[in-house]
Amino acid sequence: MPPRKTSSASGSGTRRCEFCNSPSSAKNPVFEIQGQDVCANCVRENEEQLAEMLVSLRADDPTAAPDDAFGSTPMGMAVDALVAVRGGGRSERARAAAAATRPAVRAVPSPKEIKAVLDQYVIGQERAKRVLSVAVHSHYKRIFGAPAATGGAADPEFADVELEKSNILLVGPTGSGKTLLARTLARLLDVPFAIADATTLTEAGYVGEDVENILLNLLQAADMNVKRAEKGIVFVDEIDKIARKTGNVSITRDVSGEGVQQALLKIVEGTLARVPPAGGRKHPEQKYIEIQTKDILFICGGAFVGLDKIAERRSRDRHFGFAEGAAAAAAADSGEPAAAPRAPRFETEDFIEFGLIPEFVGRLPVVTTLDELTEDDLVRVLTEPKNSLVKQYRKLFRLEGIDLAFEPDAVRELAKEAVARKTGARGLRAILEELMTDLMFEVGASTKPDGPAAPASLRSLRLTGELVRARLDGRADLAASLSQS
């Protein structure tokens, strides 16, 4: 329960602070915090000292828990009182201390450093990683500033120049790495990260979620620390699903399409939003959490199926006559190979024709395209990243006391199947689950002392391409085949 502010006088006398013995008054009220009486002045006076002590403690021993270190000392109680004075109403001392000592972003990595980290987790998508690295670096350099020697805020020439943020729009098919890119960026920068699904959003007053619930997810990721959440990253997935249903004016209201885009405009650009602390619908009587969104980086992603055809049609409309045919004929006569077709370059008018309103497109100035992963890319996805699926399944089987190995041709067959299903990297796990379920059933060992152990014939397993293809085609039982080999 939130701490209770006591009155300055009661039947049994005046309540006093247990740390400075000051009586409760209108200017210096005393709060009851977990059975202890703490005045507001003690909280404010110890706030800076408390922060310094917590930071030094964390630096000396990163594994130390501030709750255990301070216990019921004045400093420990000040953590709870500080939360009460700020109006947070949370009395969990450990959570408050952790929030106070968690660094925001001490240094902004360079674009090359950001891309180097992305390379460890995301395969391919070189252009997208470059664009994201520059955009994210510029965004957080704008927030946290730069030294005066490098042209920071202390430079009088640029003292009145206010840098605006650049939100990002990712366009790519399912399973191409849009969500993974955003999640990796948040982990690298140590900022709160939230994923929102645009398909559940509706205009205010209709069945569905209000757009402010996106910010509630970010607040929850920041342990309800508003200041920390105001520098976080929000990834809005399936943004293409809120496109206008038709280009013509309709007599029915588009509450899940254009209405949502209109509601997102101010939040994405930057405004003081009022968020219901428990989510759900807004009510006039309830209290709200105010959060400033001008420093929150919004990354929107979507497959935008059919957008490439819109771009190709626009490109054909701009080039007509005999120019293209003459160029192709000249290339054929010279014996030079024809140039490979390039991916269409998306422009603002393409997104507008797709169904996004101009105001919303204008608030997403950084647009980058992710390519569909090829068979070779999927092979790398299975084996190269730090948290690759092959490594995960090898570790899972090692817990059962089994040495599992994937032959290169087996990995290739898995990639071929994902390409055939058109599910991208996200579909690889579904394929592996389908492949491994029966095998896991046979080799799963009990943790009980007298429980059954894994069969001796399955202590060492090697998956070949032939076995994988036979299992995926339903022509063989993987466990039986491996036990006989």
Side-chain angles (χ1 to χ4, degrees):
M1 295 179 60
R4 177 174 57 89
K5 185 191 294 186
T6 62
S7 59
S8 59
S10 63
S12 58
T14 302
R15 186 182 295 275
R16 293 180 175 273
C17 174
E18 295 187 15
F19 305 114
C20 68
N21 203 32
S22 298
S24 178
S25 63
K27 292 185 177 180
N28 184 30
V30 172
F31 295 88
E32 182 180 346
I33 310 294
Q34 294 183 347
Q36 305 272 349
D37 293 336
V38 188
C39 70
N41 287 340
C42 282
V43 173
R44 297 188 182 95
E45 290 175 1
N46 286 294
E47 178 178 351
E48 183 176 352
Q49 182 183 1
L50 171 64
E52 292 177 356
M53 291 181 65
L54 291 175
V55 170
S56 62
L57 175 67
R58 181 65 60 87
D60 295 339
D61 184 7
T63 63
D67 184 31
D68 298 337
F70 294 108
S72 298
T73 62
M75 283 298 166
M77 296 306 302
V79 174
D80 292 327
L82 177 60
V83 175
V85 170
R86 289 177 174 175
R90 295 183 299 126
S91 60
E92 293 85 1
R93 187 181 299 121
R95 291 180 61 189
T101 56
R102 185 187 293 115
V105 176
R106 296 182 179 178
V108 180
S110 68
K112 291 182 178 179
E113 292 173 328
I114 295 175
K115 184 179 179 298
V117 175
L118 293 177
D119 287 338
Q120 298 177 16
Y121 295 91
V122 183
I123 298 300
Q125 316 298 0
E126 294 300 317
R127 179 60 183 170
K129 287 189 285 191
R130 277 177 170 264
V131 172
L132 276 174
S133 300
V134 173
V136 170
H137 169 82
S138 301
H139 175 77
Y140 283 101
K141 182 65 72 70
R142 175 184 72 89
I143 296 175
F144 297 105
T150 61
D155 194 332
E157 181 180 356
F158 303 105
D160 297 330
V161 177
E162 182 177 353
L163 299 175
E164 297 182 354
K165 68 174 178 177
S166 296
N167 298 305
I168 303 168
L169 176 61
L170 300 179
V171 181
T174 180
S176 57
K178 300 185 292 293
T179 307
L180 181 59
L181 282 169
R183 193 188 302 275
T184 305
L185 286 172
R187 182 167 56 246
L188 165 66
L189 297 166
D190 188 28
V191 295
F193 174 70
I195 299 178
D197 188 354
T199 58
T200 64
L201 301 177
T202 58
E203 192 176 346
Y206 293 86
V207 175
E209 292 188 3
D210 292 344
V211 294
E212 287 82 6
N213 285 344
I214 294 176
L215 301 177
L216 178 62
N217 295 338
L218 186 65
L219 279 167
Q220 292 171 345
D223 291 333
M224 303 307 288
N225 186 326
V226 175
K227 294 298 182 184
R228 181 168 162 79
E230 288 177 343
K231 297 176 177 60
I233 296 176
V234 174
F235 179 71
V236 185
D237 201 5
E238 308 291 353
I239 198 68
D240 54 322
K241 303 304 186 294
I242 62 170
R244 285 183 295 190
K245 301 300 183 290
T246 176
N248 301 323
V249 178
S250 174
I251 60 174
T252 60
R253 190 174 183 87
D254 188 8
V255 299
S256 62
E258 184 176 354
V260 176
Q261 295 183 51
Q262 296 283 0
L264 283 171
L265 291 179
K266 283 298 182 182
I267 291 180
V268 171
E269 182 179 19
T271 188
L272 187 63
R274 303 175 68 198
V275 182
R281 288 292 170 196
K282 291 183 176 180
H283 302 287
E285 297 82 8
Q286 72 179 148
K287 295 182 179 179
Y288 298 99
I289 300 175
E290 293 188 341
I291 178 171
Q292 177 60 249
T293 66
K294 66 182 181 67
D295 290 334
I296 297 176
L297 179 63
F298 286 86
I299 303 177
C300 300
F304 288 90
V305 178
L307 185 65
D308 54 342
K309 294 182 175 59
I310 295 175
E312 290 173 3
R313 184 167 61 250
R314 169 182 50 79
S315 180
R316 286 198 304 268
D317 292 343
R318 291 183 179 177
H319 300 85
F320 58 91
F322 300 100
E324 287 191 82
D333 293 339
S334 64
E336 297 179 357
R342 293 181 300 175
R345 180 185 179 88
F346 300 126
E347 297 184 2
T348 301
E349 60 187 274
D350 301 328
F351 292 102
I352 295 175
E353 184 176 346
F354 185 87
L356 299 185
I357 61 177
E359 300 91 335
F360 187 70
V361 177
R363 286 163 171 79
L364 302 169
V366 180
V367 180
T368 184
T369 305
L370 282 75
D371 301 321
E372 188 172 358
L373 295 178
T374 64
E375 184 180 310
D376 291 335
D377 291 332
L378 292 172
V379 169
R380 296 179 59 199
V381 168
L382 282 166
T383 56
E384 292 186 13
K386 283 187 173 182
N387 201 37
S388 69
L389 285 173
V390 167
K391 294 175 183 176
Q392 290 183 41
Y393 274 90
R394 290 194 64 196
K395 179 178 180 179
L396 184 62
F397 274 76
R398 185 64 60 85
L399 295 176
E400 303 287 353
I402 295 173
D403 184 20
L404 176 66
F406 288 81
E407 295 289 345
D409 57 343
V411 177
R412 177 69 60 177
E413 288 295 334
L414 293 171
K416 287 180 179 179
E417 184 68 16
V419 171
R421 297 185 184 185
K422 299 185 181 300
T423 52
R426 187 175 284 111
L428 289 172
R429 177 174 289 277
I431 296 172
L432 276 167
E433 287 290 342
E434 176 185 341
L435 183 71
M436 295 294 188
T437 298
D438 293 336
L439 187 58
M440 284 293 298
F441 182 81
E442 295 294 336
V443 303
S446 174
T447 57
K448 298 179 181 179
D450 56 345
S457 60
L458 297 176
R459 291 292 183 180
S460 180
L461 304 178
R462 300 187 72 83
L463 292 182
T464 63
E466 182 180 356
L467 278 174
V468 170
R469 176 47 54 192
R471 174 63 185 86
L472 292 174
D473 292 342
R475 295 184 284 107
D477 183 287
L478 195 60
S481 301
L482 288 171
S483 61
Q484 294 172 4
S485 60

